[in-house]
Amino acid sequence: YQPKYDPKTDELRGAEALIRWKAPEEENMISPGRFIPIFEKNGFITEIDHYMLRHVAKDQKAWLDAGCKCVPISVNVSRAHFIESDLAEQIRDIVDSAGTPHELIEIELTESAFFDDKNAMISTIKKLKDYGFAVSMDDFGAGYSSLNSLKEMPLDVLKLDADFFRNDEGDGRGQIVVAEAIKLAKNLNMRTVAEGVEVREQVEFLASQGCDMIQGYVYDKPMPKESFARKMA
Ligand code: C2E
Ligand code: CA
Ligand code: CA
C-alpha cells in the first residue's frame, strides 16, 4: 500500500494498492513492471486485478471491524478488462462478498483504455459510480492524454502522472501546466492526486494550487499492509 496525503495538513487521505510478487528463488520482491506486461498479453491480468481487489476489500473490512480510521484505497484495473461488459458488476460482487462499504474502494483506470472502446469505458464508469465507487483516471499527462476524454468521462479523481514532476527545468513552464491541470479538474468537480512527487518544494507548490492529495516518495514508498495499518490506527 502506498499512502496518499493531504499536502496542506500532511494527513492520511487514502492509498493505492500495488502488487508485488515474492518468488522463492529471488531475494527481492519482483516489481509489477516485470510481470504485468506479460499478463496483459496472455490475458491473466484479469485474474491478477481480481486477486488484488479481493484482498483489498478483505483488508478494508478487517480494518473497519478493528476500529481503524479507514481511508479509501484504490486498485488498478487494466484496460484489458474493458472487453467484458459486466466489469462493473464483477467489481461490485467481489467487494460485496467481503462485506466492504463501496466508498472505501476506488477504481483506477488508465486513460489508454478509452481509445480501445470508448463507449464500453463510459458505460462501465457510469455503472461503477452508480454503485458508489469512486473512479479515477490514472497516469493523466503521460503519453496519450486527451483533454477530450475528460469531457466525456464522468470521473471523480484525476491522477497527475509523475512525468509532470520529473525533470522540472525550474523555468516555471512545468508549474503553469500543473496549476492549469488542477484548475481544470476542479472546474470538472474532480479531485486531484499528484503522483511520483519526491521533493518538498513541490509539495508546497501543489498545496498552494489546491491539489487534494500527494502520493509519492516525499511522504512514503509503497509498504507492506502491516506498516500501512499502523498509519490508520
Ligand atoms: P501506477 O499505477 O502508475 O503506480 C504508481 C507507481 O509509481 C508505483 O510503481 C509506485 O511505486 C511508483 N511511485 C510512487 N511514488 C513514486 C515516487 O515518488 N518516485 C518514484 N520513482 N516512483 C514512485 P509500481 O508499484 O512499480 O507499479 C508500476 C505499475 O504497475 C503501476 O503504475 C501500475 O500500472 C502497474 N500495477 C501495479 N499493481 C497493479 C495491479 O494490481 N493491477 C494492474 N493492472 N496493474 C498494476
Ligand atoms: Ca495506478
Ligand atoms: Ca499512475
Side-chain angles (χ1 to χ4, degrees):
Y1 290 104
Q2 185 179 27
K4 300 172 192 168
Y5 292 92
D6 181 334
K8 283 209 172 75
T9 62
D10 295 338
E11 282 171 307
L12 182 71
R13 284 279 182 270
E16 176 176 10
L18 293 157
I19 199 160
R20 296 290 180 271
W21 185 351
K22 183 76 193 86
E25 65 280 9
E26 298 223 13
E27 198 186 323
N28 298 317
M29 297 280 191
I30 306 177
S31 72
R34 275 176 62 200
F35 59 89
I36 292 280
I38 301 168
F39 289 124
E40 275 178 337
K41 274 205 196 80
N42 70 17
F44 284 112
I45 187 68
T46 333
E47 300 196 25
I48 289 205
D49 288 349
H50 284 175
Y51 168 92
M52 285 295 275
L53 181 61
R54 236 179 8 252
H55 279 267
V56 170
K58 209 178 88 199
D59 288 349
Q60 285 282 54
K61 181 70 166 80
W63 289 327
L64 196 63
D65 291 348
C68 286
K69 292 186 222 106
C70 289
V71 290
I73 294 178
S74 57
V75 296
N76 292 284
V77 171
S78 162
R79 60 193 282 184
H81 283 277
F82 282 89
I83 46 166
E84 299 164 49
S85 60
D86 64 341
L87 174 61
E89 288 83 355
Q90 289 178 29
I91 290 173
R92 179 199 58 196
D93 292 348
I94 291 171
V95 175
D96 284 349
S97 37
T100 311
H102 294 185
E103 66 267 20
L104 290 180
I105 302 288
E106 190 176 305
I107 305 297
E108 294 197 6
L109 308 171
T110 88
E111 190 192 14
S112 48
F114 191 68
F115 301 96
D116 297 343
D117 190 342
K118 181 170 125 177
N119 292 329
M121 188 159 187
I122 293 172
S123 125
T124 298
I125 293 170
K126 285 190 175 147
K127 279 196 268 181
L128 286 169
K129 285 175 58 94
D130 280 347
Y131 298 149
F133 299 107
V135 185
S136 59
M137 183 196 279
D138 203 358
D139 306 328
F140 181 74
Y144 301 104
S145 284
S146 135
L147 290 174
N148 209 31
S149 55
L150 282 184
K151 183 181 80 184
E152 292 171 271
M153 292 195 277
L155 295 149
D156 303 286
V157 180
L158 193 65
K159 292 193 84 176
L160 302 174
D161 190 74
D163 253 6
F164 281 118
F165 311 104
R166 262 191 299 253
N167 316 318
D168 187 5
E169 302 292 330
D171 59 359
R173 295 180 69 89
Q175 291 196 334
I176 292 172
V177 174
V178 168
E180 293 302 322
I182 294 171
K183 234 185 262 169
L184 174 66
K186 284 206 181 305
N187 284 332
L188 292 168
N189 284 320
M190 297 170 79
R191 280 165 284 141
T192 44
V193 178
E195 270 194 302
V197 175
E198 296 186 356
V199 287
R200 194 67 219 184
E201 293 80 75
Q202 290 177 330
V203 174
E204 258 99 69
F205 172 71
L206 288 160
S208 74
Q209 298 305 310
C211 177
D212 298 289
M213 281 174 264
I214 290 183
Q215 179 189 344
Y217 291 179
V218 66
Y219 283 108
D220 280 318
K221 292 189 172 177
M223 59 185 73
K225 75 171 184 187
E226 294 75 18
S227 317
F228 177 66
R230 282 194 288 275
K231 296 195 173 282
M232 285 187 302

